[in-house]
Amino acid sequence: MTQPSTDAAPITRIAHLARITGVWFFVLGFVARIPFAMNIVGLLTLVTVVRGSIAEAGLVSAAFGIAMGVGGPLLGAIADRHGQRIVSVVVSILHAALLLGIVAAVYGDTPFWLIFVLTLLAGATIPPVAAYARARWLALLDDDTRRGGRGVSTALGYESMVEEITFVGGPVLVGVLATLISPAAPVIVAAFMVLVFASAFGLHRTARAVQPGAAHPDAVVAPRRALVSLAVLLPVAGMLFMGAYFGSTLASVTAVMEEVGLGESTGLVYGVMGATSAVAAITVGRLPRTFPLHLRWVLGASAMLVAGLVLWAAPQLPVIIVVFVFVGVAVGATLVTVFTIGAESAPAGRLATNMAMLSSAVTIGQGLTVATVGAFAEAAGTASVFASVAIASAGMLLVAISATLQHRALRARIAA
């Protein structure tokens, strides 16, 4: 059985983490979350090419993303109660079967409503690997945190870096598979990845570190209403605006690149921000503890707002690239910071639920914003499309300030 770290030296590097979990934890966790970045684009490509309807494809992609955002917290709550192992295996099998069912339905003479329902079910059943992984890290590194180590920040930084890599690489993999094999290939490969790697991740020995509530009836488990406290909801709102920032940025860059005739290079430009964000995410754990988390959040959101205003004022390609290099640092650091704040605010016995709420908020914010900004760009042109980036970052800053004030008020009450 995997136990929390008890080494004398505090954890500061990924190599230290690997000694706790083993290398396979990293391999399985990485591959198992690639379908998150593949499915929305893969389904969009499949339905567009096979059924010849962009409208249907847009509805399918949006339905999958929103269902994934709603289903994640529910699967987190079930795992908190019954354990990650059984939940991961069951939903991996179910999700893979649903993806293959969608492929068969799209190629067959199937009514669109059935494809839509299958898509909703598939989105709601994709295993929330990222949330489960973060919950395991927090349990495994509890002792390191008490000893003043940086293991949690290092682990959460690694998780954010992996998500940046898969977020950028997933759509590229979809394009390669769809071009070289068939439009169905990305969805079939995603089904295989979930079935094999998400199931194996669920069965990995580290799952034992997070004890299910059903196995310990006397364990302290916070009531469900604890999940709607300000301490929990403000980081979730921050992640919602982070997703909106990702979505508005992606949609805006896509619109600008299409306008200049370089639509096929959108992923490369967007990848600039993903690259610097990944670097920042893995290094933010080395920041001194005297640099408070909430101050980091406010400064990161402020930098994102400045970047959004610059892009709005000068939406030219050279400016976009330069801004992306610098704002990626703020995005990566802020992502890790908000996850850390959210983890510290998780109610007793609700860790996986809380982590899933944070991850799902990003997905929902991104999905809704991509659709909204894309429609706005098509109707009003690209001249002011980057205004959405400034709006999303302004929302993030307001939430960051609110969370900071709430945190200070809570500390003042405790001190009194």
Side-chain angles (χ1 to χ4, degrees):
M1 176 173 171
T2 301
Q3 298 290 343
S5 171
T6 57
D7 294 339
I11 295 169
T12 59
R13 298 182 180 180
I14 293 178
H16 299 161
L17 298 174
R19 289 202 296 265
I20 300 173
T21 63
V23 175
W24 275 108
F25 176 85
F26 292 85
V27 175
L28 296 174
F30 176 78
V31 179
R33 74 188 72 194
I34 292 177
F36 276 81
M38 291 179 63
N39 278 330
I40 292 179
V41 180
L43 290 171
L44 182 71
T45 303
L46 174 66
V47 176
T48 300
V49 174
V50 176
R51 292 182 69 96
S53 173
I54 297 178
E56 289 186 0
L59 287 173
V60 164
S61 296
F64 186 92
I66 293 173
M68 185 166 60
V70 174
L74 295 177
L75 294 176
I78 296 172
D80 278 333
R81 181 63 181 165
H82 299 286
Q84 292 187 15
R85 284 189 158 188
I86 184 66
V87 178
S88 296
V89 173
V90 171
V91 297
S92 294
I93 296 172
L94 181 58
H95 179 74
L98 287 166
L99 286 182
L100 296 178
I102 292 172
V103 173
V106 170
Y107 276 96
D109 188 16
T110 307
F112 176 70
W113 69 264
L114 180 56
I115 297 174
F116 188 80
V117 170
L118 289 173
T119 303
L120 286 174
L121 294 174
T125 55
I126 186 167
V129 175
Y132 288 176
R134 287 185 171 96
R136 295 184 196 184
W137 283 125
L138 292 169
L140 289 165
L141 299 171
D142 181 61
D143 182 64
D144 179 73
T145 299
R146 290 196 300 269
R147 290 185 286 108
R150 297 177 178 176
V152 169
S153 295
T154 303
L156 295 183
Y158 165 77
E159 292 295 322
S160 297
M161 179 191 71
V162 168
E163 289 187 357
E164 291 288 351
I165 294 172
T166 55
F167 181 76
V168 173
V172 175
L173 182 58
V174 169
V176 171
L177 291 172
T179 302
L180 297 181
I181 304 177
S182 78
V187 180
I188 295 174
V189 169
F192 173 80
M193 285 181 174
V194 169
L195 181 62
V196 175
F197 290 93
S199 294
F201 179 81
L203 294 172
H204 191 269
R205 59 187 175 84
T206 53
R208 299 174 183 172
V210 185
Q211 296 296 326
H216 299 274
D218 57 340
V220 177
V221 178
R224 290 188 179 90
R225 63 176 179 274
L227 292 170
V228 294
S229 65
L230 280 179
V232 173
L233 291 182
L234 285 173
V236 172
M239 283 305 189
L240 188 69
F241 278 108
M242 181 63 80
Y245 190 88
F246 288 149
S248 59
T249 303
L250 177 59
S252 299
V253 171
T254 301
V256 171
M257 296 297 285
E258 285 288 346
E259 188 176 56
V260 299
L262 297 172
E264 69 281 358
S265 300
T266 299
L268 296 177
V269 175
Y270 190 74
V272 171
M273 184 172 68
T276 55
S277 176
V279 173
I282 198 60
T283 57
V284 70
R286 296 183 177 274
L287 291 175
R289 289 186 172 275
T290 53
F291 192 173
L293 290 173
H294 285 82
L295 179 58
R296 297 182 200 179
W297 187 0
V298 171
L299 292 177
S302 299
M304 291 163 61
L305 176 57
V306 171
L309 293 173
V310 171
L311 293 172
W312 185 14
Q316 287 83 38
L317 184 57
V319 176
I320 294 172
I321 294 175
V322 172
V323 170
F324 275 14
V325 170
F326 291 99
V327 77
V329 176
V331 168
T334 304
L335 196 64
V336 176
T337 298
V338 180
F339 265 119
T340 305
I341 292 173
E344 292 181 351
S345 304
R350 302 285 183 181
L351 187 55
T353 307
N354 195 63
M355 290 294 97
M357 288 172 64
L358 293 166
S359 297
S360 296
V362 178
T363 302
I364 293 174
Q366 181 182 356
L368 293 177
T369 309
V370 166
T372 303
V373 176
F376 176 78
E378 188 171 328
T382 61
S384 59
V385 72
F386 274 107
S388 61
V389 180
I391 293 171
S393 51
M396 168 66 90
L397 181 57
L398 288 175
V399 173
I401 293 173
S402 300
T404 301
L405 295 176
Q406 187 271 339
H407 179 68
R408 289 180 178 177
L410 180 61
R411 291 182 62 183
R413 287 198 299 269
I414 295 175

